Amino acid sequence: MVCHRPFCGIALLAAPAVAALVLLTPVSIPPARAQVAQAAQQARLSDGDKSDSAKPSASQTTGAGNAASVDQANPPQPKSLTSKAIEKVKEVAKSAGDIFSRVPCLPPKGGAKSMGSLPHVASKLASGEPVVIVAFGSSSTVGYGTTSPEFTYPNRLAAQLHRQYPTADITVINRGQGGEDAPEMMKRLQVAVLDMKPDLVIWQVGTNAVLRNLDPTETAKLVEEGIARIQAAGADLVLVDPQYSPKVNERAESASKMVKLLGKVAELRHVGFFPRFEVMRDWHEKQAIPIDNFVIADGLHMTDWGYACFAQLLGDDIIKSVGQIKLGVNVPSNVHTYRPM
């Protein structure tokens, strides 16, 4: 487990410039190098490919951004801790802003509701205690489709929380495994999630069940069992449903049933629910964003922008929950749903 503090590395001045050039390229037309990398990666992994067993890299597991390698011929001059801290904050803030320079990340139209309080993690953040967040899921948790590990949703979420709480001790652990769904995830729940002693678990589930034509009702039963175990461990939980994308939409009936069942389970078990499917559909149908701005060429996985906006909206809800706790407000989980419709 790697602890993600906001100032845990020194980045070269060249790194933000390179990142900016990449980020300023329109999302719908990825750089040639990124296309080659994505094509190679697609040959090895698909969200519905059960045979994928690749582990997330260390950079995917950290979630706090990546320090550039040091030029040994021209090592940087020693700087004070304050200077390092200021430079790191500026660097992370610039990276966060550049990804939305072409298309802004807006909340769903129609007055989305908060997904409700996350009392455990919010109380610890509000009181300055260390916080552990585990991102649990399949290849969209791993971050398949991104051009850099920096742009996985757990890494983007970690960067956002570090900007909001620059002195907080926040650890974000990526426990995504490509090709899995509830049956496989339940087998590794103890070791991958519960043994990490999380304060918050973000569980992305259901996409591969739709693609593999698994019974949505059976998936919902397994998810409910997993929720009970996570709650018994004292952690808050947010469920994330399948993504709105061409491949998922090919199985519209199964996808619709899965989305409804996961939302219902979240409501019955009083846990948070982030309806990714509805949020992404809002991007396309109400905000008129082309699908290839947020879904890569395989028709399934998200782009850098898609992951970044998903992480931003999710992080906004976590931050809102902390604010509610500070004000002495604890929104009941039975009115938790983040409903854009």
Side-chain angles (χ1 to χ4, degrees):
M1 176 166 50
V2 181
C3 187
H4 311 287
R5 296 179 172 85
F7 317 123
C8 57
I10 305 174
L12 288 181
L13 294 176
V18 175
L21 286 174
V22 173
L23 294 172
L24 288 174
T25 303
V27 177
S28 58
I29 309 176
R33 183 174 297 177
Q35 289 180 319
V36 173
Q38 287 178 359
Q41 196 173 14
Q42 287 169 9
R44 298 193 303 270
L45 170 68
S46 74
D47 208 348
D49 183 3
K50 188 175 178 181
S51 65
D52 171 42
S53 60
K55 302 291 184 181
S57 66
S59 57
Q60 287 175 318
T61 306
T62 60
N66 305 295
S69 59
V70 175
D71 183 353
Q72 298 299 331
N74 298 285
Q77 295 300 314
K79 298 178 181 178
S80 69
L81 290 177
T82 301
S83 297
K84 294 176 184 177
I86 292 173
E87 287 187 8
K88 185 63 177 178
V89 169
K90 288 181 178 179
E91 179 184 322
V92 173
K94 185 177 189 301
S95 172
D98 285 346
I99 194 71
F100 300 129
S101 61
R102 297 280 177 172
V103 180
C105 177
L106 303 175
K109 296 180 180 180
K113 297 179 181 178
S114 169
M115 67 183 179
S117 293
L118 303 172
H120 186 73
V121 69
S123 296
K124 294 190 76 173
L125 274 175
S127 62
E129 297 179 60
V131 168
V132 174
I133 299 172
V134 174
F136 189 41
S138 58
S139 60
S140 60
T141 297
V142 174
Y144 182 70
T146 59
T147 60
S148 166
E150 177 186 359
F151 301 127
T152 66
Y153 104 73
N155 283 4
R156 298 292 304 195
L157 176 63
Q160 180 183 359
L161 294 178
H162 290 144
R163 290 193 303 273
Q164 181 70 24
Y165 311 107
T167 62
D169 183 356
I170 302 172
T171 302
V172 176
I173 305 172
N174 192 327
R175 286 293 183 261
Q177 184 67 56
E180 290 192 348
D181 214 277
E184 298 83 10
M185 293 177 192
M186 287 297 293
K187 292 178 181 178
R188 64 187 182 95
L189 178 64
Q190 182 65 48
V191 173
V193 178
L194 301 181
D195 286 354
M196 300 297 103
K197 308 296 183 185
D199 300 296
L200 171 64
V201 177
I202 303 169
W203 189 0
Q204 166 260 312
V205 66
T207 300
N208 287 314
V210 171
L211 298 179
R212 287 157 49 185
N213 202 31
L214 301 182
D215 183 357
T217 302
E218 291 302 314
T219 297
K221 289 179 180 177
L222 288 173
V223 170
E224 189 168 8
E225 178 186 338
I227 290 173
R229 290 176 60 186
I230 292 169
Q231 288 179 319
D236 294 326
L237 174 65
V238 174
L239 280 183
V240 177
D241 65 3
Q243 63 266 48
Y244 176 87
S245 66
K247 288 291 186 183
V248 173
N249 294 341
E250 287 174 3
R251 301 175 181 269
E253 184 177 350
S254 178
S256 177
K257 189 173 181 180
M258 181 67 71
V259 167
K260 290 177 181 177
L261 282 172
L262 290 176
K264 188 64 175 178
V265 167
E267 184 176 358
L268 291 173
R269 298 297 306 192
H270 305 299
V271 298
F273 179 62
F274 189 96
R276 180 172 55 158
F277 187 89
E278 293 294 343
V279 168
M280 293 177 69
R281 182 161 69 178
D282 187 274
W283 294 344
H284 183 57
E285 294 184 359
K286 292 191 175 183
Q287 299 185 37
I289 300 174
I291 286 181
D292 60 4
N293 271 29
F294 57 85
V295 176
I296 65 172
D298 70 357
L300 179 62
H301 297 92
M302 299 166 75
T303 62
D304 288 344
W305 185 93
Y307 284 117
C309 193
F310 163 43
Q312 179 74 41
L313 297 176
L314 180 61
D316 288 345
D317 273 346
I318 293 173
I319 291 166
K320 183 183 295 183
S321 181
V322 175
Q324 290 166 345
I325 293 295
K326 286 182 176 180
L327 293 172
V329 178
N330 187 6
V331 176
S333 294
N334 60 0
V335 293
H336 63 113
T337 50
Y338 184 111
R339 294 290 186 189
M341 306 299 287

